[in-house]
Amino acid sequence: SQQGEEDPQALSIQEGENATMNCSYKTSINNLQWYRQNSGRGLVHLILIRSNEREKHSGRLRVTLDTSKKSSSLLITASRAADTASYFCATDGGSYIPTFGRGTSLIVHP
Amino acid sequence: DAGVIQSPRHEVTEMGQEVTLRCKPISGHNSLFWYRQTMMRGLELLIYFNNNVPIDDSGMPEDRFSAKMPNASFSTLKIQPSEPRDSAVYFCASIEDGATNEKLFFGSGTQLSVL
């Protein structure tokens, strides 16, 4: 069964704009991870946030975690056409077994 | 390191045939996962190995699916007999530390089409 679900399913923006994707999950977690998938390729790890952390940054990426609401958000600032991809959150349901949502498809128009 | 290597990259077969997908994890990684990706169901966990031992196979759809990991550098996922509804992209992923399962490394996947 899928633990996390991303929202929106699809997002279309212009280059330079910020992109925000959300992830909601059902049970307690040890950590939450965000991955990126380019068309026809495997997923690539972007960032991990632990259950006792509230915010984390990596380059143009900013991740927040609200364990009381069981939700996380991924913000990509100053988006580029190369950011076009699908983005997935992975949660472990407290078992350290990563399960994924259906992803958010992001299109950044040049 | 070459990363996680999956073969074949594409497989087209007819219903009823046996299909074997192969995976070589990153050297030194002690956990391996098989996932299946479809438009309808997203990315589903099929089975998870730790130190070559199957830990959780609750995601394996039915008895037609089986997975093995005879050693730390090789795993197979077999479907016998295959059915059209098995058409999907199958991913293998490995992790260095199976205790926390942080940061999965994915292969490029096998695109399976069952006609």
Side-chain angles (χ1 to χ4, degrees):
Chain A
S1 63
Q2 285 165 324
Q3 162 76 305
E5 288 295 335
E6 295 86 350
D7 172 68
Q9 288 187 5
L11 184 59
S12 181
I13 60 174
Q14 294 295 128
E15 210 167 27
E17 294 180 340
N18 295 340
T20 299
M21 289 157 269
N22 302 296
C23 172
S24 59
Y25 57 92
K26 299 173 184 174
T27 61
S28 60
I29 59 173
N30 296 300
N31 63 60
L32 184 146
Q33 306 179 62
W34 284 91
Y35 288 78
R36 165 190 168 131
Q37 183 181 33
N38 287 84
S39 180
R41 307 300 297 270
L43 281 71
V44 175
H45 184 268
L46 292 176
I47 194 166
L48 177 148
I49 187 165
R50 301 186 193 286
S51 59
N52 62 352
E53 296 176 313
R54 291 296 168 259
E55 188 170 313
K56 210 162 182 181
H57 297 256
S58 177
R60 294 185 295 113
L61 305 180
R62 172 179 169 250
V63 170
T64 63
L65 179 64
D66 187 335
T67 53
S68 67
K69 295 181 179 179
K70 292 186 171 58
S71 67
S72 174
S73 67
L74 171 67
L75 168 68
I76 305 174
T77 60
S79 62
R80 306 166 181 168
D83 295 328
T84 294
S86 291
Y87 292 83
F88 295 83
C89 68
T91 53
D92 65 2
S95 66
Y96 293 111
I97 300 176
T99 57
F100 291 81
R102 288 183 173 82
T104 292
S105 175
L106 173 66
I107 297 175
V108 181
H109 299 278
Chain B
D1 199 314
V4 176
I5 300 173
Q6 291 187 246
S7 64
R9 190 79 172 89
H10 302 275
E11 177 81 25
V12 180
T13 191
E14 293 187 345
M15 183 173 63
Q17 296 297 307
E18 178 180 295
V19 175
T20 299
L21 311 181
R22 296 173 175 80
C23 175
K24 179 178 173 16
I26 294 174
S27 177
H29 284 196
N30 66 9
S31 289
L32 183 142
F33 299 76
W34 282 100
Y35 289 90
R36 176 173 69 175
Q37 186 176 37
T38 61
M39 288 295 292
M40 287 292 292
R41 301 175 67 88
L43 200 64
E44 303 173 277
L45 176 64
L46 299 177
I47 189 169
Y48 154 48
F49 293 87
N50 182 252
N51 291 321
N52 312 337
V53 176
I55 302 299
D56 184 347
D57 65 354
S58 59
M60 295 286 264
E62 48 198 272
D63 292 345
R64 297 185 298 107
F65 286 69
S66 62
K68 294 181 180 179
M69 192 163 186
N71 56 61
S73 59
F74 185 64
S75 177
T76 60
L77 177 67
K78 185 175 292 187
I79 308 173
Q80 166 63 15
S82 58
E83 297 182 2
R85 60 194 168 117
D86 301 331
S87 297
V89 182
Y90 291 79
F91 287 102
C92 173
S94 68
I95 283 184
E96 182 174 6
D97 180 3
T100 58
N101 287 336
E102 298 176 359
K103 194 173 181 179
L104 284 159
F105 288 83
F106 280 79
S108 296
T110 293
Q111 172 79 61
L112 174 64
S113 298
V114 183
L115 307 177

